[in-house]
């Protein structure tokens, strides 16, 4: 009974959430359309010579709003009477509709307000927001058909849903915390794509701005020839501002190599301007290169895609910690393809037809710009990523372990062990004992024999004032420069090389000439008296 009672409530809550998301999408479309309508109506009111009434201004606003989504418009009021397409999108106008859809999808999935409304899934939220937005867009397309700038139905059916769904998807991604793919290679490739794209477009903007500054007089003359009253000046200035992102994409395509078209049969590349360009008078078009071969200033624009490919490869190489060379190369190649796809989309939006005949092709060719970006990333980015990876692995490679240096501690003649007798007037500790760790002091105290307990030296052995006998009973030879402290007559070097058996760094010795001798495996306490070694019998004489 409880399950039957709660089921309609849950379904009702989900339906309300879907309806709310759909309404958010419709409101976002209305806000963008209303903002453009306000600007167009303000320009129409301030114009001293309006061409049409308020209906014409609203139709123009609807056409500009659709053009901001990538929809081609068709101009019917031409001098020849033939319809002419208009497909160059002022890319700054795209920012407002895309941001509104993005915010609507983000707010739909954002439940930080602590409300009791159910949270939709990501796909449902994106579909609901995009559906409400497209309902308003479909009504706008139908309304524009009765005006001077009707929408092209083919591009309206292709680009309009793609832009809306893409913007709603980015909003949902933002609401989820901008997660990246779990695979490290895919995440590194996406970061490299973003870095390369920003570098490429930013460098193109700098190149276009420098060219426009060098042709400032021509740009000012074109601006003066277009404007009349102050309302016309404001309108042309707003159009210039809306086309500034297009100018940056044109500069990037110019540096990539393929350049851009200036009408059918005319191409501008760093090598020069070929053909007969058909350029309408406009301030931004005054920055185009002059006819003829390019100079070193034009060739310097090639540094833009070079820098983008280097940074892109460096980003992948720094992320490739323990990757293999094959994974690093594939990641850099994937980043090149991703950046090429993004550049192709931007180039397709920044260019397009401006009419029929000579103006049917104007701006960058999308597939040429995308292919050139992939080639730059494959030829420059992949080697750079491999080089950065190799350098990083070289820096993280551990150094070779050095062999520990053994230090022999000499025994000072006349040293007495006060720990054996327990006398109160014990002499000062030996300098050798004070320079070693505390763990060895007890060992040294037990191994140094008391005065009078040492047997008289054998014939030929060093006398008083010379080096005292070693605790093991052997007399070490003076150390020679460059010789091993554990080597010498009567001392067998340790085959393992780790000085096993002698804490002083000496060799592996047998002081009693006993084949069954084994070194002790314990450390004598400091209070235990050291037993003196037995006297060494003199060597038999030859006679």
């Amino acid at each position: 009974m409880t399950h039957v009672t709660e089921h309609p409530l849950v379904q009702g809550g989900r339906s309300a959430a879907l309806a709310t998301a759909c309404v958010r999408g419709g409101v976002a479309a209305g806000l963008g359309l209303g903002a453009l309508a306000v600007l167009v109506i303000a320009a129409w009111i301030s114009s001293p010579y309006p061409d049409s009434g308020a209906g014409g201004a609203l139709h123009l606003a609807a056409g500009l709003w659709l053009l901001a989504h990538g929809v081609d418009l068709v101009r019917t009021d031409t001098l020849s009477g033939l319809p002419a397409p208009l497909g160059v999108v002022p890319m700054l106008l795209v920012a407002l509709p895309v941001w509104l859809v993005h915010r609507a999808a983000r707010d739909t999935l954002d439940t930080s307000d602590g409300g009791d409304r159910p949270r939709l899934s990501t796909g449902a939220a994106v579909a609901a927001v995009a559906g409400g937005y497209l309902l308003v867009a479909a009504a706008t397309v139908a309304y524009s058909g009765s005006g001077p700038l009707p929408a092209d139905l083919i591009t309206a059916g292709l680009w309009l849903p793609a832009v809306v769904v893409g913007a709603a998807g980015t909003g949902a991604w933002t609401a989820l915390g901008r997660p990246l793919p779990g695979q490290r290679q895919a995440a590194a490739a996406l970061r490299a794509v973003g870095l390369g794209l920003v570098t490429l477009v930013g460098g193109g903007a700098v190149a276009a701005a420098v060219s426009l500054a060098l042709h400032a007089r021509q740009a000012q003359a074109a601006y003066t020839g277009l404007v009349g009253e102050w309302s016309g000046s404001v309108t042309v200035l707003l159009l210039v501002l809306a086309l500034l992102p297009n100018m940056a994409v044109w500069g990037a395509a110019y540096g990539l190599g393929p350049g851009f078209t200036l009408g059918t049969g005319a191409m501008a590349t760093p090598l020069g301007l070929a053909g007969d360009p058909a350029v309408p008078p406009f301030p931004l078009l005054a920055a185009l290169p002059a006819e003829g071969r390019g100079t070193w200033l034009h060739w310097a624009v090639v540094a833009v895609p070079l820098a983008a490919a280097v940074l892109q490869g460096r980003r992948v190489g720094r992320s490739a910690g323990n990757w293999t060379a094959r994974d690093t190369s594939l990641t850099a190649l994937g980043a090149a393809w991703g950046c090429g796809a993004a550049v192709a989309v931007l180039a397709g939006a920044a260019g397009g037809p401006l009419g029929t005949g000579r103006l049917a092709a104007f701006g960058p060719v999308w597939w040429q710009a995308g292919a050139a970006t992939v080639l730059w990333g494959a030829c420059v980015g992949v080697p750079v990523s491999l080089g950065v990876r190799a350098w990083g692995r070289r820096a993280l490679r551990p150094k070779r372990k050095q062999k520990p240096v053994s230090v022999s501690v000499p025994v000072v003649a006349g040293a007495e062990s006060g720990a054996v007798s327990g006398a109160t007037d014990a002499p000062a500790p030996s300098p050798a004992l004070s320079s070693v760790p505390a763990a060895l002091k007890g060992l040294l105290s037990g191994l140094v024999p008391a005065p009078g307990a040492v047997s008289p030296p054998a014939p030929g052995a060093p006398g008083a004032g010379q080096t005292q006998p070693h605790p093991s009973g052997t007399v070490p030879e003076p150390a020679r420069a460059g010789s091993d402290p554990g080597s010498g007559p009567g001392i067998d070097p340790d085959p393992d090389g780790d000085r096993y058996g002698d804490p002083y760094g000496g060799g592996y010795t047998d002081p009693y000439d006993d084949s069954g001798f084994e070194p002790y495996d314990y450390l004598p306490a400091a209070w235990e008296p050291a037993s003196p070694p037995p006297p060494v019998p003199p060597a038999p004489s030859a006679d």
Side-chain angles (χ1 to χ4, degrees):
M1 182 63 65
T2 304
H3 177 71
V4 176
T5 304
E6 292 182 355
H7 186 71
L9 294 177
V10 173
Q11 292 293 333
R14 181 177 176 82
S15 301
L18 287 173
T20 303
C22 187
V23 170
R24 286 179 184 273
V27 170
L31 289 176
L33 183 59
L36 282 178
V38 169
L39 288 177
V40 173
I41 290 178
W44 171 74
I45 293 175
S46 60
S47 177
Y49 308 104
D51 294 336
S52 59
L58 292 178
H59 279 91
L60 179 60
L64 289 177
W65 185 77
L66 293 175
L67 185 64
H69 294 79
V71 179
D72 292 348
L73 303 180
V74 180
R75 293 189 294 114
T76 56
D77 53 347
T78 59
L79 296 178
S80 61
L82 298 176
L86 176 62
V88 178
V89 179
M91 298 183 69
L92 191 61
L93 294 179
V94 182
L96 179 61
V98 166
W99 179 74
L100 290 172
V101 180
H102 173 91
R103 191 187 66 170
R106 182 198 63 193
D107 294 344
T108 300
L109 291 175
D110 188 11
T111 57
S112 59
D113 53 354
D116 297 333
R117 59 184 176 88
R119 180 174 180 176
L120 298 176
S121 63
T122 304
V126 171
V129 172
Y133 195 98
L134 290 176
L135 287 177
V136 178
T140 307
V141 170
Y143 177 75
S144 67
S146 59
L149 292 174
D152 181 55
L153 297 181
I154 297 178
T155 56
L158 292 177
W159 289 107
L160 187 57
V163 171
V164 173
V165 172
T170 57
W173 178 62
T174 304
L176 296 177
R178 299 182 181 90
L180 292 176
Q183 192 176 5
R184 294 183 58 189
Q185 286 83 356
L190 289 178
R191 294 189 183 96
V193 166
L195 180 60
L197 188 62
V198 169
T199 305
L200 194 60
V201 176
V206 172
V210 171
S211 180
L212 186 62
L214 295 176
H215 300 82
R217 290 186 178 181
Q218 294 86 337
Q220 185 177 3
Y223 180 79
T224 306
L226 288 176
V227 301
E229 300 291 335
W230 69 270
S231 58
S233 301
V234 173
T235 303
V236 173
L237 182 60
L238 290 178
L239 185 58
V240 168
L241 293 177
L243 289 172
L244 285 180
N246 300 59
M247 185 179 177
V249 176
W250 283 39
Y254 184 79
L256 285 170
F260 45 82
T261 60
L262 298 174
T264 56
M267 180 71 68
T269 64
L271 299 178
L273 179 60
D276 184 17
V279 181
F282 195 73
L284 292 181
L285 296 179
L288 296 176
E291 298 184 13
R293 292 186 177 182
T295 61
W296 65 269
L297 189 60
H298 301 89
W299 302 335
V301 187
V302 182
V304 173
L306 179 62
V310 168
L311 292 178
Q312 186 171 299
R314 180 175 176 268
R315 180 68 178 181
V316 174
R318 294 187 64 181
S319 301
N322 296 327
W323 301 351
T324 61
R326 179 177 178 272
D327 292 341
T328 305
S329 302
L330 291 178
T331 304
L333 194 59
W337 277 97
C339 191
V343 170
V345 172
L346 292 178
L354 282 180
T356 57
R358 296 287 306 278
L359 294 177
F362 202 77
V365 182
W366 65 271
W367 66 269
Q368 293 180 0
T373 306
V374 174
L375 288 178
W376 276 101
C379 297
V380 178
V382 174
V384 169
S385 64
L386 292 176
V388 173
R389 168 187 170 272
W391 182 262
R393 290 170 66 91
R394 175 183 177 274
L396 295 177
R397 186 178 301 153
K399 297 182 180 180
R400 297 182 61 183
K401 186 176 181 181
Q402 298 180 358
K403 184 178 179 181
V405 180
S406 59
V407 180
S408 59
V409 181
V411 180
V412 181
E416 296 181 0
S417 176
V420 177
S421 60
T424 57
D425 53 348
S430 173
L433 295 180
S434 61
S435 62
V436 297
L440 296 179
K441 289 184 179 180
L443 176 61
L444 296 178
S445 301
L447 293 181
V448 176
V454 181
S455 59
Q466 300 181 1
T467 306
Q468 295 295 321
H470 194 271
S472 60
T474 60
V475 180
E477 293 184 358
R480 295 183 297 269
S483 63
D484 190 354
S487 62
I491 299 178
D492 298 332
D494 185 4
D496 295 333
D498 55 357
R499 306 301 180 197
Y500 173 77
D502 193 347
Y504 308 107
Y508 191 87
T509 61
D510 180 9
Y512 308 114
D513 294 331
D514 185 5
S515 59
F517 170 77
E518 293 183 0
Y520 53 83
D521 56 353
Y522 66 94
L523 297 178
W527 51 267
E528 293 181 355
S531 58
V536 180
S541 59
D543 53 2

